[in-house]
Each structure stands twice: as structure tokens, then as C-alpha cells.
């Protein structure tokens, strides 16, 4: 979906296809047919943006077979779909029964991470619509905090990998005329947990094609203030390559038995749900929601937020809620000013099938209805900020 900002530039809105896990190119093509096109039809749109997730196997197939890449671009056009951004965070296995810590491998100390990200940038340059010259790829925020923090060579290795990637992006732009930016996506538990953590490594790289992907669920989970976060990035000269519109799980009174019971329904075995609380002594947290509920390591005298991407339009029932207000505040700063701070927005709710059983969609049609409702909410927020929806 495209929107005209009051300054005349185009802002793109998509939804991320990592909600439909597929490891192979055939699986990606099935996604377009079975999920993405039905969402577009529900919205009554001739064209719908998707934030494509290409796992390692699918990406390598496309890199090694130019005819398959041309066929994928033609199929996107045929189904009324367009791609200006890729999700390059998960490498493979995102649809496994247990993902947890595996999603952080390979990290930016492993040569496979920059190699895969380079492949994604090259593929995106080829998949961009003919009238679009800028693309973005979101990626792992360097590494999970361990064992990275105890490796004295890790930071230098990661910085060198990102610097080399920046040089490759420059060469790609010169060759194709397409500018692809990479956004490190701060996430709780990673070495870059917050936007503030991103500033030092990104200024060390010092390149305008290497920036951040602001995920509003992650921002909220870490209790970051959107204005403070975005002001600091701007002051440091760190660009916002893209933003992922998402909402975290919020519990105002986690000490109450009814609240803990409600939270327990969201503790599930597939994904990590890092949980945080902001105390007078600072931010405290656990790696997963069940760990927070089981022990006494997380103080419960202040609100908890958990890294669980809840559907934007359907917050959980009381006594829980979502951090949609953080998304709204962030979006206002990103695109509500005299010029947009980013032009790539992506709804990323990949946890539909991880919701408590009563809330999960039971059919493809129900999932498509839910995704369409999320995009409708995002569209209404954008038009409410003065952006004009384009055909």
C-alpha cells in the first residue's frame, strides 16, 4: 500500500510474510497464492505491499537461478503484490516447532550472516517495482548477548562485516541504480537491545546505508520513550531504514494472581518472549515469559511488558492489554512531521499461531481476515496523520 506524505514523498506500508513460514522458493510462491493475494482482495486493493521473508534455501535458489528470480517478480506483478522491503532477521527454521534462541544464528561474527544479507540486498534490487529506487532489509541486531559479550574479538569482527556490507551496497547502487539500506533491529536480550545501544556500533561503521529498523513491540518491551529514542538517533546521524509496526503484551499489575494466570496463557514453546519491567533501579528482565512467571527474579511491583507480537487491532482481554499507544506515538514521530523519518513501514505480527488457542485463526480465511484488519488499522493511523492513500 502506498501513501503520499504531505511533503510529496511516497510512504510504503506492507505486512511481513514471516507469519507464513516457508523455507523454499516453492513455499514462498504458495504464500503469495494462498495468503498474500487473499489479503489484498479483502482490502479491495489493486496493489498490496508485502515484506518478504526469504529463508536461506529460497534466497540461494533465486541467487543461483536468474530465471527463477524473473519468474518470481512476474508472479508478484500478476498477483498485485509489490516488495520494497525484506525481513532478513530469521535465517532459516522460523516455522520450526521450537525457534527460541535459534533465531539469532548465524550472527554478525559468522561470515554466513553478511553473505546472506548481501544476497538479500541483491535480490531486493531486482524485485523492486520499476518506479521504486529504494529498498530496505531488516536484520539481526549484531548478536544475542552471550557468548558475544565474553568474546574480545566479536565487536571488531561484526564491525568489519558491516563495513564490508556497506561497501557492497555502494557497489550495488552503482551497478543497478537501486539503493538498498540495512536496518539493525534492536531486540531485548541482544547485544543491541535498544535504539540507544545501536548508536555506538552504527556510528563506528558510519555509513548512511546501514541504520536501524525500529520495531515498536521491541521499543515498548524495553520501555523506550519513542521521542527520546528517535531524537537520539537523529542527533547521532543514524538513519531509520524501516519501521515494523507491532505491539507488545502489557500487564499493569503483574503481582495479581488473575494477571499472572492471564499471562500464562501466552507462554508458549515456539518463540522467546523476553519480559521486562522498569523499576527505580532501572530495567530488569528475563529471557522468556514462563521464566518471569515461575521465579522471583523479575520484580512484580511495576508493569511488565513481554515480547509477544499481539495483533494490532485485537488487544488481549482484560486484565492484559497491548502497547498500541507506543506504536501510535512512534508512528506520529516517524511520518507525522514535515518529512518522514522513514518511508518503509511493515506490520509484523508473526505470532498469530502462537496465540492462546481460543484466539488463534483456525483457517486461512480467518488469518487473512486478521491480517487485513491489522493493515486497515495501520492505514487509518496513517491517513489520520495526514497521509493520502494512493491507488
Amino acid at each position: 500500500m502506498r501513501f503520499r506524505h504531505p511533503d510529496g514523498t511516497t510512504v510504503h506500508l506492507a505486512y511481513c510474510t514471516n507469519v507464513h513460514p516457508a523455507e523454499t522458493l516453492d513455499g514462498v510462491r504458495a504464500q503469495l497464492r494462498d495468503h498474500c493475494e487473499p489479503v489484498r482482495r479483502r482490502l479491495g486493493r489493486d496493489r498490496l505491499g508485502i515484506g518478504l521473508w526469504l529463508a536461506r534455501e529460497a534466497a540461494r535458489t533465486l541467487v543461483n537461478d536468474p530465471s527463477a528470480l524473473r519468474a518470481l517478480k512476474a508472479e508478484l506483478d500478476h498477483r498485485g503484490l509489490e516488495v520494497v522491503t525484506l525481513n532478513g532477521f530469521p535465517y532459516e527454521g522460523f516455522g520450526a516447532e521450537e525457534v527460541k534462541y535459534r533465531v539469532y544464528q548465524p550472527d554478525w561474527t559468522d561470515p554466513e550472516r553478511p553473505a546472506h544479507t548481501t544476497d538479500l540486498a541483491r535480490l531486493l534490487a531486482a524485485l523492486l517495482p520499476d518506479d521504486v529506487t529504494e529498498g530496505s532489509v531488516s536484520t539481526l541486531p549484531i548478536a544475542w548477548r552471550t557468548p558475544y559479550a565474553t568474546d574480545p574479538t566479536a565487536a571488531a569482527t561484526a564491525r568489519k562485516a558491516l563495513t564490508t556490507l556497506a561497501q557492497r551496497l555502494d557497489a550495488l547502487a552503482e551497478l543497478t541504480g537501486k539503493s538498498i539500506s540495512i536496518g539493525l533491529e534492536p531486540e531485548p536480550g541482544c547485544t543491541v537491545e535498544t535504539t540507544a545501544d545501536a548508536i555506538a556500533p552504527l556510528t563506528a561503521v558510519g555509513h548512511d546505508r546501514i541504520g536501524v529498523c525500529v520495531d515498536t513491540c521491541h521499543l515498548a518491551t524495553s520501555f523506550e520513550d519513542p521521542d527520546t529514542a528517535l531524537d537520539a538517533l537523529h542527533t547521532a546521524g543514524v538513519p531509520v531504514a524501516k519501521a515494523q509496526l507491532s505491539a507488545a503484551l502489557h500487564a499493569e499489575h503483574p503481582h495479581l494472581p488473575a494477571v499472572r494466570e492471564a499471562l500464562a496463557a501466552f507462554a508458549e514453546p515456539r518463540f522467546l518472549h523476553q519480559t521486562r519491567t522498569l523499576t527505580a533501579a532501572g530495567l530488569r528482565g528475563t529471557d522468556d515469559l514462563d521464566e518471569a512467571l515461575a521465579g522471583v527474579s523479575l520484580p512484580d511491583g511495576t508493569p511488565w511488558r513481554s515480547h509477544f507480537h499481539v495483533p494490532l487491532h485485537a488487544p488481549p482481554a482484560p486484565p492484559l492489554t497491548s502497547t498500541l499507544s507506543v506504536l501510535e506515538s512512534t508512528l506520529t514521530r516517524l511520518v507525522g512531521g514535515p518529512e518522514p523519518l522513514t518511508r518503509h513501514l511493515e506490520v509484523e505480527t508473526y505470532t498469530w499461531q502462537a496465540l492462546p488457542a481460543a484466539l488463534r485463526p483456525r483457517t486461512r480465511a480467518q488469518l487473512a481476515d486478521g491480517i487485513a484488519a491489522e493493515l486497515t488499522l495501520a492505514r487509518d493511523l496513517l491517513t489520520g496523520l495526514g497521509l493520502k492513500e494512493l491507488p
Side-chain angles (χ1 to χ4, degrees):
M1 300 167 74
R2 298 187 183 192
F3 296 81
R4 182 74 67 202
H5 189 274
D7 78 342
T9 59
T10 300
V11 173
H12 295 266
L13 173 66
Y15 90 89
C16 186
T17 63
N18 62 356
V19 65
H20 319 300
E23 301 291 319
T24 66
L25 179 57
D26 285 344
V28 170
R29 298 181 68 175
Q31 291 175 345
L32 306 183
R33 179 192 68 229
D34 297 338
H35 299 288
C36 302
E37 187 175 5
V39 170
R40 178 182 65 77
R41 294 186 182 280
R42 279 163 172 76
L43 292 166
R45 303 282 308 178
D46 293 332
R47 174 175 54 191
L48 176 67
I50 57 172
L52 199 60
W53 175 57
L54 296 173
R56 178 190 65 166
E57 182 176 346
R60 287 184 176 174
T61 298
L62 291 168
V63 166
N64 293 328
D65 187 349
S67 65
L69 181 57
R70 290 192 296 270
L72 178 61
K73 183 176 175 63
E75 183 162 1
L76 288 165
D77 292 339
H78 173 70
R79 297 194 183 279
L81 305 170
E82 66 178 15
V83 177
V84 303
T85 188
L86 299 180
N87 188 330
F89 195 140
Y91 176 73
E92 62 184 350
F94 201 60
E97 291 185 4
E98 183 177 326
V99 179
K100 299 289 185 180
Y101 295 94
R102 290 173 52 192
V103 76
Y104 306 107
Q105 295 296 329
D107 64 28
W108 281 93
T109 66
D110 185 329
E112 184 51 36
R113 175 60 67 171
H116 177 61
T117 309
T118 301
D119 285 346
L120 294 179
R122 290 170 175 162
L123 293 172
L124 180 56
L127 291 174
L128 286 176
D130 293 340
D131 62 342
V132 174
T133 59
E134 296 181 352
S136 60
V137 180
S138 49
T139 188
L140 175 76
I142 300 185
W144 186 253
R145 67 182 186 276
T146 54
Y148 182 94
T150 58
D151 181 350
T153 67
T157 300
R159 183 170 61 251
K160 182 178 179 181
L162 289 167
T163 300
T164 300
L165 175 65
Q167 295 166 351
R168 293 172 179 171
L169 296 175
D170 287 344
L172 181 64
E174 185 174 350
L175 178 66
T176 66
K178 306 289 187 177
S179 178
I180 307 300
S181 297
I182 306 298
L184 301 184
E185 183 183 329
E187 176 165 312
C190 292
T191 186
V192 174
E193 171 154 340
T194 66
T195 56
D197 295 333
I199 291 173
L202 289 177
T203 52
V205 173
H207 197 284
D208 60 4
R209 289 194 172 97
I210 309 288
V212 297
C213 168
V214 175
D215 184 297
T216 57
C217 171
H218 303 172
L219 192 81
T221 300
S222 294
F223 288 86
E224 288 197 81
D225 173 70
D227 289 331
T228 302
L230 294 172
D231 284 347
L233 291 174
H234 176 73
T235 299
V238 175
V240 180
K242 66 185 280 190
Q244 289 176 327
L245 308 183
S246 52
L249 190 63
H250 180 96
E252 186 69 17
H253 302 292
H255 66 285
L256 296 177
V259 175
R260 298 176 82 90
E261 182 180 357
L263 283 170
F266 287 84
E268 54 83 36
R270 178 176 292 181
F271 302 110
L272 276 187
H273 300 294
Q274 301 94 315
T275 303
R276 300 288 186 266
T277 189
L278 186 61
T279 71
L283 197 66
R284 299 281 300 277
T286 61
D287 283 356
D288 216 343
L289 179 55
D290 54 2
E291 181 185 348
L293 291 168
V296 294
S297 59
L298 193 64
D300 60 7
T302 49
W304 286 4
R305 289 178 178 173
S306 189
H307 173 214
F308 195 117
H309 290 227
V310 296
L312 302 187
H313 68 292
L320 304 178
T321 187
S322 80
T323 60
L324 182 63
S325 62
V326 176
L327 184 161
E328 293 171 340
S329 297
T330 308
L331 192 62
T332 298
R333 279 298 309 274
L334 287 171
V335 300
E339 60 183 24
L341 303 183
T342 186
R343 289 186 289 275
H344 294 171
L345 306 173
E346 178 184 68
V347 171
E348 198 213 16
T349 305
Y350 59 84
T351 44
W352 278 93
Q353 298 301 340
L355 289 167
L359 303 178
R360 294 175 196 166
R362 294 180 176 82
T363 64
R364 288 179 184 169
Q366 288 180 350
L367 178 57
D369 288 341
I371 294 170
E374 289 193 289
L375 286 167
T376 297
L377 183 148
R379 179 194 65 193
D380 292 346
L381 290 176
L382 290 172
T383 56
L385 291 171
L387 283 73
K388 180 182 179 181
E389 187 175 6
L390 298 175

